[in-house]
Amino acid sequence: MSKLTPNYIWWLLLVSCLMLIPHLSVIEVNIMEARNFITAREMVTNNNWILTTINDLPRYEKPPLPTWLTAISGIIFGFENIFGLRLPVVFITLLLVFSTYKLSQKLGLTQQQNFHNGLILITSFYIYFAGRDNQWDMYTHSFMMVCIVFLWKFLNDKNYTFLYAILAGLFFGLSFLSKGPISVYGLLLPFLIAYGIIYKFDLKQKKFYVFLIVIIGFCIGLSWPLYVRYIDPETVSRVTKLESSRWGSYNIRPFYYYWSFFTQSGIWTVPSLIALFYPYLKTRVSNLKAYQFTLIWTLAVVILLSIIPEKKSRYLLPVLIPMALNTGFYIDYLIRSFKNISLKFEKRIIYFAFGLIVLICVAIPIGLFIIIIKKDLAGFEFWLIGLTLSLFILGYILFQNLRKKDFLKVFYAVVGVQVAVILFGVPLTKAVLINPDYHSAKELKEKEKELGIKTYEMSSFTPEIVWDYGHSIPVLQDEKTNELNLPLENKFGILASKTDSILSKKKLENYNLKKITTVDLNRIPKESKKHNDRLFRIYYLATKK
């Protein structure tokens, strides 16, 4: 391993790229990503870079920095290129990985442990999942993590205080301009709590610089929302009221909803849980003060997020950052001491935690083979064979080195399992998720040309359908009055959901309605309970009598 020491950064970059880049365009665009892509597309086509829109309607719910970056990528690669549109979030995730690696260095840990902390982070499930999904969360937390690194330097380095203050304020502002105060509350405030408890603040000669950080941060972060409020106050007021009401009435979950937060780390679930047991690990870590800091930081994130009534699993993204550092202490302990552990109970926990991964290495290929053998395997043989061989080999390496108590090789094998799943497993989702009735919204373009019509939505638009269609789709039903505003054309197309009851609409009594086709963006068949009606539309031809 000593030969690899000078190349830790390059190995971390390689693994991160393998986790983020392969098959980047395979997974379907989800609702949050579709909103980002539509707004980016309309930025370019309508030149709406400041007063952002979605389906040609005002879209002020989220700050525009991630969408600006996505729009630039769309100009370079084209808006049909999903791979290109997702590249910005890949680079932003790399920024998160290496800023976390840098903070790990500042904690006074060994170079090997810093490297391992970076590997744990990028192979944590929701980190690489969000790093392949171009929405707002990864941007705000990545920029805030860079801010935290400069804050650490600002608090601990007597030189370049002014420079660190400016850079901390800059990235604070970029985080705010990505998703408002989300990361200030969910990542920065817990960091400050943990730092104050463990390392204490000494700001006697730095009060002006603290003020400078805050001023720079808020000047950048509030620049867009204040400008939009000045230009379009009525819409901003309506959006603000709606967003505020959701914090206390939308997706309400109990306080303990996030208590299974460690499961979001995926393959590191059991090690992450064990690393949270302070009485067990406090005498086993190499740097107690740093361990106390990452533990408090992790728990502070969970507690602060739990206070907010509205809860979603993706809101747990910031907790995975300090938790990766915290889990690294347990991994470091096992690398140093696994061969010398004598307590039977302790050894059983280790064998359970990592023996479970050995079983997963066997179960995944077998399970996929059983599923796929019932379907059409043509075209997926390479990926199934590659996943099977790689997981069987890695499972064997895991098993053998658990027996030999060589935990360093066990750790790298676990990382290898995650890389193998991305390299060979992601393409297999297309073999597993099959909907024989799938119809893209793009297919409507042919119907429009054939019939000489324009397409409208009946009552409300679905972002995934608008994105897939290629440009905005006007909505006939007024959101405030529920009245239908029918177009002047004698003939037009209408997209209607199952609940629209289009045939009973009085204003359509003077039209002959004929069902032409359907739009179904679900990747699972309609018989499945997970089939989402929101992604389904019936396409009617309306012709004036």
Side-chain angles (χ1 to χ4, degrees), residues 444 447-448 451 453-456 492-496 514-519 537-541:
L444 299 181
K447 296 293 181 183
E448 289 172 346
L451 300 170
I453 58 174
K454 183 179 178 180
T455 297
Y456 297 85
F492 54 91
I494 301 178
L495 283 170
K514 180 182 178 183
K515 180 180 175 181
I516 301 297
T517 186
T518 59
V519 171
R537 291 289 189 278
I538 303 170
Y539 189 61
Y540 292 94
L541 172 64

Side-chain angles (χ1 to χ4, degrees), residues 216-498:
I216 293 173
F218 281 111
C219 281
I220 295 172
L222 294 175
S223 58
W224 178 80
L226 290 178
Y227 177 80
V228 173
R229 177 177 286 275
Y230 174 75
I231 297 297
D232 191 0
E234 184 179 344
T235 305
V236 171
S237 178
R238 178 172 53 82
V239 169
T240 302
K241 287 180 182 178
L242 178 62
E243 289 292 295
S244 299
S245 66
R246 286 177 175 175
W247 282 88
S249 61
Y250 183 69
N251 277 320
I252 303 303
R253 299 287 188 271
F255 180 83
Y256 55 82
Y257 180 76
Y258 286 143
W259 287 6
S260 61
F261 63 93
F262 49 88
T263 60
Q264 293 294 321
S265 63
I267 206 164
W268 303 110
T269 293
V270 178
S272 293
L273 176 60
I274 295 171
L276 295 171
F277 285 93
Y278 178 74
Y280 166 72
L281 211 56
K282 66 178 181 179
T283 58
R284 293 168 170 82
V285 297
S286 57
N287 188 325
L288 180 59
K289 202 170 185 179
Y291 169 63
Q292 290 171 332
F293 167 71
T294 60
L295 179 62
I296 294 172
W297 188 7
T298 302
L299 296 177
V301 176
V302 178
I303 292 170
L304 288 178
L305 290 176
S306 297
I307 292 171
I308 300 172
E310 183 189 5
K311 295 179 178 68
K312 295 179 183 178
S313 58
R314 62 185 175 87
Y315 292 171
L316 276 174
L317 178 61
V319 78
L320 295 173
I321 301 167
M323 192 167 71
L325 298 172
N326 197 65
T327 306
F329 286 103
Y330 179 57
I331 297 299
D332 177 66
Y333 161 65
L334 294 181
I335 291 171
R336 289 183 288 104
S337 308
F338 188 27
K339 290 183 178 180
N340 302 318
I341 292 174
S342 57
L343 291 174
K344 289 184 178 179
F345 178 72
E346 190 175 358
K347 286 194 289 187
R348 285 171 183 169
I349 292 175
I350 297 166
Y351 287 129
F352 168 77
F354 296 93
L356 189 62
I357 299 173
V358 175
L359 293 177
I360 290 172
C361 288
V362 176
I364 288 178
I366 293 175
L368 279 172
F369 184 79
I370 293 172
I371 293 171
I372 294 175
I373 204 70
K374 298 176 181 179
K375 301 176 184 287
D376 185 7
L377 190 62
F380 296 97
E381 298 90 343
F382 172 80
W383 305 114
L384 183 59
I385 293 170
L387 183 65
T388 301
L389 289 177
S390 59
L391 288 185
F392 280 170
I393 292 169
L394 288 165
Y396 176 78
I397 293 171
L398 267 166
F399 178 74
Q400 285 293 87
N401 285 287
L402 277 173
R403 287 181 58 198
K404 295 176 183 178
K405 297 185 178 181
D406 187 346
F407 195 81
L408 187 62
K409 292 179 181 177
V410 170
F411 174 74
Y412 290 133
V414 174
V415 172
V417 168
Q418 287 291 62
V419 172
V421 169
I422 295 296
L423 287 177
F424 299 108
V426 172
L428 290 171
T429 58
K430 286 190 173 293
V432 176
L433 303 176
I434 299 174
N435 179 10
D437 299 314
Y438 178 89
H439 289 286
S440 169
K442 293 184 179 73
E443 297 172 11
L444 299 181
K445 297 296 180 73
E446 295 180 9
K447 296 293 181 183
E448 289 172 346
K449 288 181 181 179
E450 178 186 331
L451 300 170
I453 58 174
K454 183 179 178 180
T455 297
Y456 297 85
E457 267 278 8
M458 184 65 190
S459 58
S460 63
F461 69 91
T462 296
E464 295 96 314
I465 293 176
V466 173
W467 168 250
D468 189 55
Y469 180 67
H471 56 76
S472 62
I473 308 175
V475 180
L476 298 178
Q477 186 167 300
D478 187 277
E479 184 181 351
K480 296 179 181 178
T481 64
N482 289 329
E483 287 291 318
L484 284 181
N485 299 314
L486 297 179
L488 298 177
E489 301 101 295
N490 291 326
K491 187 168 64 170
F492 54 91
I494 301 178
L495 283 170
S497 67
K498 289 181 178 179

Side-chain angles (χ1 to χ4, degrees), residues 92-154:
I92 289 298
T93 307
L94 291 176
L95 183 66
L96 174 67
V97 171
F98 284 97
S99 57
T100 305
Y101 173 83
K102 193 68 178 178
L103 183 64
S104 183
Q105 288 181 320
K106 296 299 176 183
L107 292 175
L109 309 179
T110 66
Q111 282 297 92
Q112 186 186 67
Q113 189 172 349
N114 298 331
F115 172 54
H116 292 168
N117 289 345
L119 291 177
I120 293 169
L121 181 67
I122 193 56
T123 53
S124 293
F125 167 71
Y126 206 77
I127 294 294
Y128 67 78
F129 178 83
R132 298 169 63 92
D133 180 18
N134 195 353
Q135 50 174 290
W136 291 263
D137 296 85
M138 184 57 75
Y139 290 86
T140 191
H141 298 308
S142 294
F143 286 132
M144 186 55 73
M145 197 61 197
V146 180
C147 168
I148 286 171
V149 171
F150 284 118
L151 268 179
W152 185 282
K153 291 183 177 183
F154 167 76

